[in-house]
Amino acid sequence: MIWVLSGVVFLAAFLLFQIELIIAKVFLPSFGGSYFVWGACVVFFQGALLAGYLYSHFILEQAGIRRYRHVYILLFLLPLLGFPGQPLPAVTVSRHIPPVLDIFFHLLISIGPVFFILSTVSVTLQKWVTVSSLPQREQPYFLYAWSNLGSLGALVSYPLFFESHFDLTQQIRIWRWGYFILIAGAAALAAFLRLMPEQKQSADRSRPAIARSVVFRWLLLSAAGVVMFLGVTNVITNEIAPVPLLWVVPLAIYLAAFILTFREPSLCPAWIKNQIWLWVGLGVVLHLLTEAGAITSLSVWGLLLYCGLLFVVCMYCQHELYQSRPRDSRGLTYFYAIISLGSFLGGIAVSWVVPLLSSGLIELLLAFCILSLALTADPRLAGDRDFYLRLLAVMWVFMVQNCPRVAGALLTAVILYAVWRQLKEKPRVVYCVLLAALYLVPLFRVDLMQSNVIYRHRNYYGIMKIVEDRRARYFVHGQTVHGAQFLDPARQQEPLAYFHYSTPIGQVMQSGRFQFHNVGIIGLGAGALAAYAKEGMAFDFLELDPDVYATAQKYFTYLKNSRGKIAYYWGDARLSLDQIPSGKYDLFIVDAFGGDAVPIHLLTTEAIAKYRQCLKEDGLLLFHFTNRYLRLDPVLGRNALELKAFVAYQENPPDDANLVMESSWFAMTWDAQKHHILVNDLGWQDVDTGRVKNVRPWMDGYSNIVPYIKF
């Protein structure tokens, strides 16, 4: 019976996690790819999960598992009145309410009921075990490890198996069958899991009092783990290596820590438990080195260091949560409600608050500060004479990082005191040096070590920087250059980087073989393409992030000095195209692969059909798909074959002397003459679409980037 219990918990978590990935993909074509789509989904998922934990706590406190268990099994049948008993309702975007509220509404009516039921399974069945005759009734927390194992299974299997082999319709059908199996498993538990006789239970039904300091520590430890996980994810995907699917690794580590620690015995090495302050100090130094640019140049080592640090912090937090869990099972639901609340607050802080408060990636420092506060509630450190000194070290680094004018006199005094105290005990000399480094590094303001960074801004889409050298100014987003401009006023209207005269787009615009009057462009960057606009030409830029426009206007002159008429459409490009008349453009350019991230919904056959609708009959469609990690030409070739388009391909080598970057361009047209000019006059390569017949076209219901990752 214990295996049935474990299987039901595993499957519930698997389905819970997988429906998040499926529904976000379902919403993408209708709501677009703005941050608020995924951000709203994340808030809903976290809020619904918290609601499920709180509901489980209050209902089990009031009703008890004996009276509630049969009702609980019936609750599994309620979602069958909608999804998964019925198809997912159609997504119809409302223009009368804010998009975030519209997304919340669609999530609520589509997967809200089933998501809520799934969120209660782990906690409810753990409570169920406590009144059973199973030998594990005193330690039901092992089921939480099975729950996280189910989440990890869904995380890994979705991109590697389900997404690659099945379209959305098939994925939903498989998911529905999984839910029916879950109902059968829950029914089997209700029928065959034997409960202890009433008289064997304790007569005292009151829940033992739990100290507020313990509850506060649960809250902080759970928040610290989530903030650390999200912080490392942001650092890796923004500053080190924005490799597709790399975000899976930090999440897998976070879930694995729960699997290893929520068991008996809890697996947490002594070198983590006993040296947590050492790892906090190393983490702060690692963060400051990253801010100084020393880690990003060593992407592999940086990735390993951050993943190792994440593993250490998550193992410590999860282990401490497990060790401080209520020993009386009547506090079980309260325990999970608190750690769910901490996770929710940590997730909201990183996803929605931090990007508005800081221009840098301060999530790691925030995680260390929260962890430091959690340590203050640890009774084992009550007599530690150096505890508050170490706490001050972390808090001070956080302040200096964000308040550079803090007086240096106090800083120097703290360093001298730390050295004097630690040198008394020789084994602590190493820690002493580290502690001094924590104070000294921020004193020199690591951002000044990157003196060529003249502007830095963070919003929900990442971090953008303006970087200068002796020749040019660069627009950098994450680790990707989005445009450049010479500082020499005489050459400022010469487009650089991927858009130079010698690049494929430069050849097309400068050849004189095409007559372009109206041009549409997805992606603004530094606005370099505006340099090709002549008198009488109109350029429409479709840009997701308005802050990109503000930065381009302030630090570059392409837009200001353009001779053409420039217009802007804000928001997701596929939604913006609904505002544009059919047949408007002679040329349409898709240049939206920011930071090597691929907006898949802009590459599907449905998206390309929309581009074609906005083109004239003899119009030209160009894709700039330069990417360090993906080969997208097979996908574009197969989609062109699906839409019966003529296709051509061209790339250019880098030229450092003229600040030209290597770029790859793909052309589609439904006009044979345009295709002839590209191939025969401009030297583009004709693409034999017959070679990609076996490639599956990308559609709104199917896409898979795994086969196209460059290894």
Side-chain angles (χ1 to χ4, degrees):
M1 187 55 65
I2 197 65
W3 289 106
V4 178
L5 269 167
S6 302
V8 169
V9 171
F10 175 92
L11 181 57
F14 186 96
L15 295 174
L16 180 76
F17 202 98
Q18 193 175 74
I19 197 61
E20 297 180 16
L21 303 174
I22 292 174
I23 200 67
K25 199 167 183 177
V26 170
F27 281 12
L28 193 59
S30 299
F31 286 103
S34 80
Y35 175 86
F36 294 100
V37 176
W38 179 243
C41 288
V42 168
V43 171
F44 178 86
F45 297 146
Q46 291 177 322
L49 191 63
L50 174 60
Y53 277 67
L54 291 175
Y55 166 81
S56 298
H57 169 63
F58 287 111
I59 195 68
L60 292 175
E61 282 283 303
Q62 297 300 318
I65 192 62
R66 291 177 171 279
R67 286 183 290 175
Y68 177 64
R69 65 184 182 120
H70 295 296
V71 176
Y72 183 63
I73 298 303
L74 292 176
L75 289 179
F76 279 88
L77 302 178
L78 288 181
L80 298 182
L81 298 175
F83 177 78
Q86 304 294 327
L88 282 170
V91 179
T92 54
V93 180
S94 173
R95 304 296 182 188
H96 304 294
I97 61 175
V100 172
L101 296 180
D102 199 14
I103 293 169
F104 284 166
F105 172 74
H106 280 84
L107 286 169
L108 187 63
I109 65 173
S110 58
I111 67 166
V114 71
F115 192 94
F116 177 78
I117 294 300
L118 291 172
S119 69
T120 66
V121 172
S122 175
V123 176
T124 302
L125 291 190
Q126 287 181 63
K127 190 70 173 179
W128 202 335
V129 169
T130 64
V131 297
S132 73
S133 58
L134 294 172
Q136 293 87 355
R137 62 180 177 273
E138 298 298 330
Q139 293 295 336
Y141 294 92
F142 74 96
L143 287 178
Y144 196 59
W146 279 98
S147 177
N148 283 278
L149 186 61
S151 299
L152 181 59
L155 169 70
V156 174
S157 65
Y158 187 77
L160 298 181
F161 179 72
F162 289 97
E163 191 176 35
S164 61
H165 289 84
F166 308 105
D167 61 28
L168 279 176
T169 302
Q170 294 169 321
Q171 291 172 30
I172 292 171
R173 186 181 302 121
I174 294 171
W175 193 95
R176 181 181 287 115
W177 279 108
Y179 188 74
F180 292 150
I181 294 172
L182 180 68
I183 293 176
L189 289 176
F192 300 110
L193 183 60
R194 192 164 60 90
L195 302 185
M196 293 172 58
E198 190 74 28
Q199 61 270 21
K200 291 187 179 181
Q201 298 181 58
S202 172
D204 180 14
R205 301 191 59 84
S206 62
R207 179 172 58 84
I210 301 175
R212 291 183 180 179
S213 60
V214 174
V215 175
F216 184 59
R217 192 161 180 262
W218 291 345
L219 195 71
L220 292 173
L221 287 169
S222 56
V226 168
V227 173
M228 187 69 191
F229 143 60
L230 293 174
V232 168
T233 302
N234 288 341
V235 170
I236 289 175
T237 55
N238 283 282
E239 298 295 326
I240 295 181
V243 178
L245 297 181
L246 193 60
W247 58 270
V248 170
V249 176
L251 182 51
I253 293 172
Y254 175 73
L255 295 172
F258 277 111
I259 297 169
L260 294 174
T261 55
F262 271 67
R263 59 188 302 276
E264 196 63 44
S266 180
L267 298 180
C268 185
W271 54 269
I272 293 179
K273 293 184 291 185
N274 300 333
Q275 302 295 331
I276 187 60
W277 280 110
L278 178 66
W279 298 113
V280 169
L282 287 173
V284 173
V285 172
L286 179 64
H287 166 77
L288 297 175
L289 290 175
T290 301
E291 290 286 288
I295 297 297
T296 55
S297 60
L298 302 170
S299 58
V300 175
W301 288 108
L303 176 64
L304 294 176
L305 287 170
Y306 272 104
C307 287
L309 182 64
L310 174 64
F311 177 76
V312 167
V313 171
C314 287
M315 285 291 288
Y316 180 82
C317 290
Q318 272 57 300
H319 170 76
E320 290 298 302
L321 283 171
Y322 183 73
Q323 292 301 314
S324 61
R325 71 194 184 280
R327 300 300 171 174
D328 190 300
S329 61
R330 284 169 290 179
L332 181 146
T333 57
Y334 185 64
F335 170 70
Y336 282 117
I338 294 300
I339 64 174
S340 178
L341 177 61
S343 299
F344 175 77
L345 294 175
I348 293 297
V350 174
S351 300
W352 290 87
V353 179
V354 167
L356 300 178
L357 300 180
S358 173
S359 62
L361 292 167
I362 64 168
E363 293 92 321
L364 295 185
L365 294 178
L366 179 60
F368 295 141
C369 286
I370 296 173
L371 179 56
S372 300
L373 291 174
L375 289 170
T376 64
D378 188 348
R380 293 170 298 180
L381 294 178
D384 189 340
R385 62 182 182 180
D386 296 320
F387 167 73
Y388 289 102
L389 178 63
R390 294 193 291 251
L391 176 61
L392 180 61
V394 179
M395 300 298 288
W396 184 261
V397 170
F398 187 82
M399 287 193 302
V400 174
Q401 176 72 7
N402 295 279
C403 306
R405 292 184 175 85
V406 176
L410 177 60
L411 183 65
T412 304
V414 172
I415 295 172
L416 293 176
Y417 176 75
V419 172
W420 176 76
R421 287 291 302 271
Q422 297 298 328
L423 282 180
K424 289 184 174 181
E425 302 179 44
K426 293 182 180 179
R428 295 186 174 182
V429 171
V430 174
Y431 178 75
C432 166
V433 174
L434 175 63
L435 183 63
L438 294 184
Y439 288 104
L440 288 171
V441 174
L443 181 62
F444 290 104
R445 293 293 298 155
V446 295
D447 57 323
L448 296 181
M449 297 166 66
Q450 291 183 296
S451 57
N452 57 340
V453 177
I454 63 172
Y455 174 73
R456 180 169 176 162
H457 175 69
R458 181 179 182 181
N459 62 13
Y460 292 125
Y461 298 101
I463 296 176
M464 61 183 74
K465 293 177 285 190
I466 303 299
V467 181
E468 277 190 3
D469 61 19
R470 58 184 177 82
R471 292 192 300 168
R473 179 175 291 172
Y474 304 86
F475 192 142
V476 181
H477 196 282
Q479 292 297 301
T480 301
V481 175
H482 281 257
Q485 187 174 39
F486 280 122
L487 296 178
D488 181 359
R491 303 185 67 182
Q492 282 191 344
Q493 279 305 103
E494 180 180 338
L496 304 180
Y498 314 106
F499 314 107
H500 190 261
Y501 303 133
S502 61
T503 64
I505 184 62
Q507 294 174 350
V508 169
M509 301 300 291
Q510 295 284 99
S511 67
R513 301 303 308 275
F514 303 100
Q515 296 297 318
F516 298 135
H517 300 288
N518 291 288
V519 179
I521 304 168
I522 297 180
L524 177 62
L529 285 173
Y532 289 106
K534 301 176 182 178
E535 294 287 345
M537 295 179 68
F539 275 45
D540 291 347
F541 285 96
L542 289 72
E543 173 56 48
L544 181 65
D545 183 2
D547 288 345
V548 170
Y549 166 76
T551 304
Q553 279 281 34
K554 183 175 181 180
Y555 292 97
F556 300 90
T557 62
Y558 291 122
L559 298 174
K560 297 175 185 175
N561 297 335
S562 178
R563 291 179 291 168
K565 181 181 178 182
I566 309 296
Y568 306 93
Y569 294 83
W570 309 118
D572 182 80
R574 278 187 63 168
L575 302 183
S576 297
L577 287 174
D578 294 334
Q579 308 172 42
I580 295 171
S582 298
K584 177 180 181 179
Y585 298 122
D586 309 289
L587 171 66
F588 195 82
I589 301 170
V590 182
D591 176 33
F593 306 129
D596 291 292
V598 177
I600 290 174
H601 72 296
L602 298 182
L603 291 178
T604 62
T605 54
E606 292 90 343
I608 297 173
K610 260 195 167 183
Y611 307 151
R612 183 186 181 185
Q613 184 178 351
C614 293
L615 281 170
K616 295 179 179 176
E617 288 294 326
D618 61 346
L620 181 62
L621 175 60
L622 295 180
F623 291 86
H624 175 213
F625 66 99
T626 306
N627 197 287
R628 289 174 287 179
Y629 306 107
L630 293 172
R631 292 177 56 253
L632 294 174
D633 47 302
V635 173
L636 290 170
R638 182 62 180 89
N639 286 359
L641 177 63
E642 189 76 9
L643 297 171
K644 299 179 174 57
F646 299 102
V647 292
Y649 168 83
Q650 184 64 293
E651 59 185 8
N652 67 275
D655 178 6
D656 292 336
N658 292 305
L659 297 182
V660 179
M661 297 181 176
E662 180 181 0
S663 67
S664 302
W665 294 79
F666 199 93
M668 292 187 196
T669 182
W670 288 262
D671 181 74
Q673 182 62 27
K674 286 283 196 305
H675 179 257
H676 182 272
I677 294 173
L678 286 172
V679 174
N680 294 282
D681 296 353
L682 301 185
W684 284 52
Q685 301 176 37
D686 193 6
V687 177
D688 180 10
T689 53
R691 299 171 62 181
V692 293
K693 284 184 176 179
N694 294 328
V695 175
R696 188 169 179 177
W698 280 10
M699 309 178 76
D700 287 345
Y702 172 83
S703 59
N704 176 32
I705 67 172
V706 174
Y708 310 108
I709 297 177
K710 298 177 183 178
F711 293 101

